[in-house]
């Protein structure tokens, strides 16, 4: 049995989240005004006080109350047509957001590619471990990550004698009863009947599974708000994902996107787009994927307090300038200059995948020129070892192997990679 949380505890937690506003005296809300154009649309509010995210600690009230509903996480859903004001409060600070719901028609046709495909991707239905695998799963196959909407539409609506969807009784559709766990499903429960995603799929089936207007706007790009933030340890940050379409319209897809962090020890992300940092410092990149497009959020957790007097570091090129700027944000002081012996060993291993020969080492150590390190780098890049080594590394990244059945093709691909590296072909052309 779940016990209710005492009001005193809830109030204490809210005070703890909002207390910093006493000093900062600011409350910023994004977006300050917006529109919703259908039952399937929603909007993630972002509330901040200076550098601190307050989205999940603020209190939201709506006037009039019959236009939108705002969750405790700051997510806005339409419940009626009209215009309303959302009052956002944290401690003694208030901010108003104006929202207009232009369309609340349940009969408005949904679009399969724009409205249904993102739900299949978010819940893993078309992933490589489920129905997106090469052979499908239990006779049901979808295109991997939804790259072929026409194929997926036929698989859902027309295959299996049309048993997967049942417009006359949507709740009896195999697509829903299996996803909800009503009948046995190898993938387990994916959708609960009281969720918005379930209701959207049900409404699409009830409408007769429309494919959608072929002239409907298509996704042009994704953006993340915010796209970067310097965060402290054990801090949360809500992010919002915006989809920009070919007709210049913008739609919040935070609840439909998929999120992934490349450094979960530094910062992890949940399915609602909340980034959480931990005890480790460092730089984590959080990726959001939606309908084949991606965007990223950079979470940077400094090692300590900003360094008052940063040591001199000679930035010899553009990469050095970028690295220096990042070190300063992280609070990292660069190491002392390494010795010539350490340098030749490190750079030869890094560029050629081998140790320097004794002759190479003797010649390098005997050289007294101040430019000898740069010359050594150029010499290694011009050697045969560099393209051979990096062709092997790129082959691993691109999964080049003879396991697919053609050893000759794998060898030819390796040679092509090595030739492009040897020719110094730019990566965008490569």
């Amino acid at each position: 049995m779940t016990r209710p949380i005492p009001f005193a505890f809830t109030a204490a937690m809210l005070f703890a989240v909002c207390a910093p506003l006493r000093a900062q005296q600011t409350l910023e809300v994004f977006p300050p005004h917006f529109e919703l154009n259908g039952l399937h649309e929603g909007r993630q509010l972002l509330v901040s006080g200076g550098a601190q995210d307050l989205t999940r600690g603020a209190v939201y009230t709506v006037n009039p109350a019959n236009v939108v509903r705002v969750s405790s996480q700051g997510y806005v859903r339409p419940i009626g047509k009209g215009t309303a004001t959302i009052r956002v409060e944290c401690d003694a600070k208030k901010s108003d957001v104006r929202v207009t719901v232009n369309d609340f028609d349940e009969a408005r046709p949904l679009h399969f590619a724009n409205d249904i495909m993102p739900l299949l991707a978010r819940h893993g239905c078309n992933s490589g471990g489920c129905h997106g695998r090469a052979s499908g799963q239990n006779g049901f196959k979808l295109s991997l990550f939804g790259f072929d909407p026409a194929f997926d539409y036929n698989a859902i609506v027309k295959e299996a004698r049309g048993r997967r969807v049942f417009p006359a009784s949507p709740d009896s559709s195999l697509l829903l009863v299996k996803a909800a766990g009503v009948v046995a499903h190898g993938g387990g429960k994916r959708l609960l009947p009281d969720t918005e995603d379930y209701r959207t799929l049900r409404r699409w089936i009830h409408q007769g599974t429309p494919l959608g207007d072929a002239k409907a706007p298509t996704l042009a790009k994704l953006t993340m708000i915010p796209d970067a933030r310097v965060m402290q340890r054990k801090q949360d940050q809500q992010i919002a994902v915006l989809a920009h379409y070919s007709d210049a319209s913008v739609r919040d897809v935070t609840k439909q996107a998929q999120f992934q962090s490349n450094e979960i020890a530094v910062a992890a992300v949940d399915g609602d787009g909340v980034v959480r940092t931990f005890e480790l410092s460092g730089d984590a990149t959080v990726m959001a994927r939606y309908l084949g497009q991606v965007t990223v959020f950079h979470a940077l957790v400094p090692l300590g307090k900003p360094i008052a007097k940063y040591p001199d570091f000679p930035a010899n090129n553009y990469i050095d300038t970028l690295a220096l700027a990042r070190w300063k944000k992280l609070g990292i002081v660069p190491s002392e200059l390494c010795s010539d012996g350490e340098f030749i060993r490190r750079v030869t291993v890094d560029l050629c995948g081998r140790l320097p020969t004794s002759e190479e080492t003797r010649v390098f150590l005997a050289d007294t020129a101040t430019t000898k390190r740069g010359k050594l780098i150029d010499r290694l890049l011009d050697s045969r070892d560099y393209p051979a080594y990096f062709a092997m590394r790129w082959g691993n990244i691109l999964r080049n192997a003879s396991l697919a059945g053609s050893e000759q093709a794998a060898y030819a691909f390796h040679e092509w990679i090595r030739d492009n590296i040897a020719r110094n072909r730019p990566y965008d052309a490569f």
Side-chain angles (χ1 to χ4, degrees):
M1 179 178 178
T2 303
R3 296 183 179 180
I5 299 175
F7 174 78
F9 176 79
T10 305
M13 290 298 293
L14 179 60
F15 176 82
V17 171
C18 295
L21 287 182
R22 294 184 184 275
Q24 297 171 351
Q25 299 296 307
T26 59
L27 184 64
E28 299 176 358
V29 183
F30 176 86
H33 53 82
F34 61 95
E35 297 180 354
L36 297 176
N37 298 299
L39 279 169
H40 57 282
E41 291 197 11
R43 192 72 190 229
Q44 177 65 59
L45 297 178
L46 300 175
V47 184
S48 61
Q52 185 175 8
D53 178 43
L54 306 171
T55 305
R56 300 202 167 199
V59 175
Y60 305 92
T61 54
V62 182
N63 184 32
N66 61 346
V67 178
V68 296
R69 180 183 294 113
V70 186
S71 71
S72 59
Q73 290 79 34
Y75 194 77
V76 183
R77 289 279 190 191
I79 58 175
K81 191 175 180 180
T83 299
T85 299
I86 303 172
R87 172 63 58 87
V88 184
E89 300 180 71
C90 198
D91 197 18
K93 291 298 165 184
K94 303 176 182 179
S95 184
D96 290 338
V97 175
R98 195 163 182 81
V99 54
T100 300
V101 179
N102 295 317
D103 187 354
F104 198 71
D105 184 5
E106 288 197 13
R108 179 186 178 186
L110 291 167
H111 191 278
F112 178 75
N114 288 343
D115 300 321
I116 304 304
M117 291 291 292
L119 304 184
L120 300 177
R122 178 175 172 87
H123 295 282
C125 305
N126 54 20
S127 66
C130 198
H131 298 287
R133 64 193 305 177
S135 57
Q137 189 82 346
N138 293 330
F140 182 26
K141 174 177 169 54
L142 296 171
S143 63
L144 185 63
F145 299 134
F147 72 88
D148 191 346
F151 176 89
D152 294 344
Y153 181 84
N154 288 330
I156 294 172
V157 177
K158 299 180 180 180
E159 287 183 1
R161 300 191 298 274
R163 294 172 59 245
R164 294 186 177 122
V165 288
F166 191 19
S169 179
D171 291 313
S172 300
S173 302
L174 279 178
L175 186 67
L176 291 178
V177 296
K178 284 207 167 189
V182 177
V183 299
H185 179 220
K189 289 185 179 181
R190 294 289 177 170
L191 286 173
L192 297 179
D194 61 345
T195 62
E196 188 63 31
D197 289 350
Y198 182 97
R199 288 190 285 267
T200 299
L201 278 174
R202 187 191 185 282
R203 191 161 65 250
W204 175 69
I205 297 172
H206 180 69
Q207 290 177 357
T209 65
L211 178 59
D213 187 357
K215 297 181 180 179
T218 56
L219 181 63
K221 67 175 181 178
L222 286 184
T223 57
M224 195 100 79
I225 305 293
D227 59 359
R229 179 62 60 89
V230 177
M231 303 176 65
Q232 302 303 313
R233 290 175 174 84
K234 296 185 177 181
Q235 184 179 358
D236 290 355
Q237 174 64 54
Q238 175 71 58
I239 53 180
V241 183
L242 303 181
H244 301 256
Y245 288 86
S246 55
D247 62 351
S249 63
V250 180
R251 179 172 162 185
D252 187 304
V253 295
T254 306
K255 294 295 185 182
Q256 292 80 43
Q258 296 170 280
F259 298 95
Q260 183 178 356
S261 171
N262 73 331
E263 289 290 349
I264 58 175
V266 176
V269 61
D270 65 15
D272 293 324
V274 178
V275 179
R276 294 185 174 91
T277 58
F278 301 105
E279 290 288 354
L280 292 181
S281 63
D283 188 4
T285 299
V286 173
M287 179 189 71
R289 182 172 66 236
Y290 179 81
L291 287 180
Q293 297 276 358
V294 296
T295 184
V296 296
F297 165 81
H298 297 282
L300 192 147
V301 183
L303 184 64
K305 295 181 180 180
I307 301 171
K309 187 177 181 180
Y310 202 83
D312 292 334
F313 178 81
N316 296 318
N317 51 56
Y318 181 62
I319 300 292
D320 285 352
T321 302
L322 294 178
L324 181 60
R326 184 53 55 93
W327 293 339
K328 288 181 177 179
K329 286 184 177 180
L330 282 168
I332 295 176
V333 177
S335 302
E336 296 294 330
L337 195 66
C338 66
S339 66
D340 285 344
E342 292 170 327
F343 180 82
I344 188 174
R345 175 176 55 82
R346 292 175 182 177
V347 76
T348 307
V349 171
D350 286 345
L351 294 181
C352 298
R354 63 172 177 82
L355 290 172
T357 65
S358 57
E359 180 62 24
E360 288 174 327
T361 304
R362 280 193 293 267
V363 171
F364 180 74
L365 294 179
D367 191 349
T368 58
T370 57
T371 58
K372 68 178 185 178
R373 293 192 177 192
K375 290 180 178 178
L376 173 62
I377 293 173
D378 291 337
R379 189 161 58 250
L380 293 175
L381 291 175
D382 289 336
S383 71
R384 295 171 58 89
D385 293 334
Y386 168 70
Y389 176 52
F390 272 77
M392 181 185 69
R393 296 186 65 175
W394 271 105
N396 289 334
I397 294 172
L398 299 175
R399 305 294 178 88
N400 183 31
S402 59
L403 298 178
S406 176
E407 183 174 337
Q408 185 177 1
Y411 182 78
F413 189 26
H414 175 85
E415 290 295 297
W416 180 86
I417 296 173
R418 185 174 66 176
D419 182 63
N420 276 272
I421 295 173
R423 294 174 185 269
N424 197 28
R425 191 177 188 185
Y427 279 130
D428 57 350
F430 175 84

